[in-house]
Amino acid sequence: MEDILKRLSYCVEVGKVNKTSPYPPDMKDQEGADELARRALDEGISPSVLLEEALIPAMTRVGEKYSRQEIFVPQMLMAAKAMNSAMAHLKPFFLSGETKRKGTFIIGTVAGDLHEIGKNLVAMMIEGGGWEVIDLGVDVSTTKFMKAIESHPSAVIGMSALLTTTMENMRKSVAEIKEKDPGRVILVGGAPVTMDFCKKIGADFYSPDPQGAINYLNSLVS
Ligand code: B1M
């Protein structure tokens, strides 16, 4: 088990998507994140172990290498591609069989921010927790959030931000939504976001991870 997790983690770190992908050249014809994630699940390794022991640590290492300028944006992109190919296999495991949804959750990464992996993970797990999820994608403007609220009037809003610069856009979006719709519940998250920041910008709750977000949403309907 350890071996396959290590290999999977390494594939995500170096951006080896699947067997046929030519990048990185020294791993030509070797299995990539896609095949290894599938195989790990088939061997009975749980999706949470896959996430916590292979996939998330890989992205952390990618971030550290980027900070040390050992890799650059193209390598980060390849790592994200490999991560997404592995995450695609996890989705069915997080989907619950519930037909009656607990409520609607609209999620998006805030304006100017293209990071989607954490947001996708949160969306996937909340959907698995029995909520209808409307995923607006990345670089979501306040107008787009507002339009989605019009179509789903009882929805809770979730915003993700990964950049210190786009936290400012999160602040603006929360302020504009709350001004027009003071009772709208807004949950925020993303690596640089904190509970302190959440309180400062007038959002309702901050969660550092998907489970905290699920617990919070469930507390609203219980
Ligand atoms: Co970017 N990037 N990036 N990047 N990138 C970071 C965030 C950075 C920390 C790297 C570094 O310097 N060490 C740094 C930000 C520094 C800062 O702001 N202080 C950075 C930078 C600088 C940039 C660019 C500016 C680089 C450039 O172009 N010069 C650029 C900005 C582009 C833009 O957005 N406009 C950029 C671009 C990119 C890529 C496009 C190449 C790629 C993203 C690809 C994609 O998503 N499709 C990318 C990546 C991959 C990263 C790192 C390496 C990994 C992010 C990630 O996916 N983490 C990242 C370094 C790092 O985080 N270690 C980095 C894994 C993911 C599971 O975690 O997203 O934190 P995370 O989500 C967690 C929690 O935060 C939480 O739950 C998730 C699961 O636990 N969570 C929520 C997230 N959202 C939530 C919402 C909730 C609740 C919880 O409720 C609503």
Side-chain angles (χ1 to χ4, degrees):
M1 161 163 154
E2 219 169 83
D3 180 55
I4 193 164
L5 288 180
K6 268 193 192 149
R7 286 175 60 202
L8 172 59
S9 199
Y10 183 70
C11 282
V12 171
E13 182 180 345
V14 300
K16 175 72 177 167
V17 179
N18 57 33
K19 200 167 180 183
T20 57
S21 61
Y23 180 85
D26 62 336
M27 291 181 79
K28 196 169 177 280
D29 297 330
Q30 289 181 30
E31 284 180 311
D34 182 18
E35 293 87 2
L36 289 168
R38 179 70 269 150
R39 203 147 60 75
L41 291 167
D42 290 345
E43 285 178 15
I45 300 176
S46 86
S48 335
V49 167
L50 227 75
L51 259 181
E52 281 152 30
E53 294 185 22
L55 303 182
I56 292 181
M59 292 313 286
T60 305
R61 291 197 299 278
V62 170
E64 288 164 357
K65 280 161 116 182
Y66 179 79
S67 294
R68 295 195 298 266
Q69 299 192 340
E70 290 167 16
I71 61 165
F72 300 93
V73 173
Q75 286 100 326
M76 270 210 289
L77 267 175
M78 289 311 294
K81 211 171 163 194
M83 175 83 173
N84 281 333
S85 74
M87 270 170 51
H89 294 289
L90 299 184
K91 188 159 186 181
F93 289 85
F94 290 120
L95 291 183
S96 79
E98 291 188 47
T99 45
K100 191 176 176 319
R101 299 295 188 164
K102 293 175 182 165
T104 304
F105 182 62
I106 296 170
I107 189 167
T109 304
V110 299
D113 199 322
L114 303 177
H115 295 85
E116 65 177 353
I117 294 171
K119 182 265 298 164
N120 289 350
L121 208 49
V122 171
M124 197 192 282
M125 293 178 78
I126 287 178
E127 196 177 358
W131 286 73
E132 178 192 17
V133 173
I134 311 294
D135 186 346
L136 302 180
V138 296
D139 189 18
V140 179
S141 63
T142 310
T143 313
K144 201 167 174 188
F145 277 115
M146 296 296 290
K147 280 202 175 127
I149 293 170
E150 274 170 31
S151 313
H152 304 278
S154 61
V156 176
I157 300 294
M159 292 182 193
S160 178
L162 261 286
L163 298 170
T164 43
T165 46
T166 57
M167 284 168 77
E168 175 55 19
N169 296 339
M170 179 180 266
R171 189 188 64 72
K172 283 186 193 153
S173 285
V174 170
E176 284 168 30
I177 293 172
K178 288 280 187 183
E179 194 190 330
K180 293 193 179 107
D181 186 3
R184 181 68 45 191
V185 178
I186 305 178
L187 165 70
V188 293
V193 180
T194 60
M195 187 56 98
D196 190 41
F197 179 73
C198 162
K199 285 184 183 154
K200 271 193 194 134
I201 65 173
D204 296 276
F205 194 72
Y206 156 77
S207 171
D209 51 40
Q211 194 53 50
I214 295 172
N215 295 345
Y216 175 68
L217 290 179
N218 288 344
S219 76
L220 297 175
V221 292
S222 63

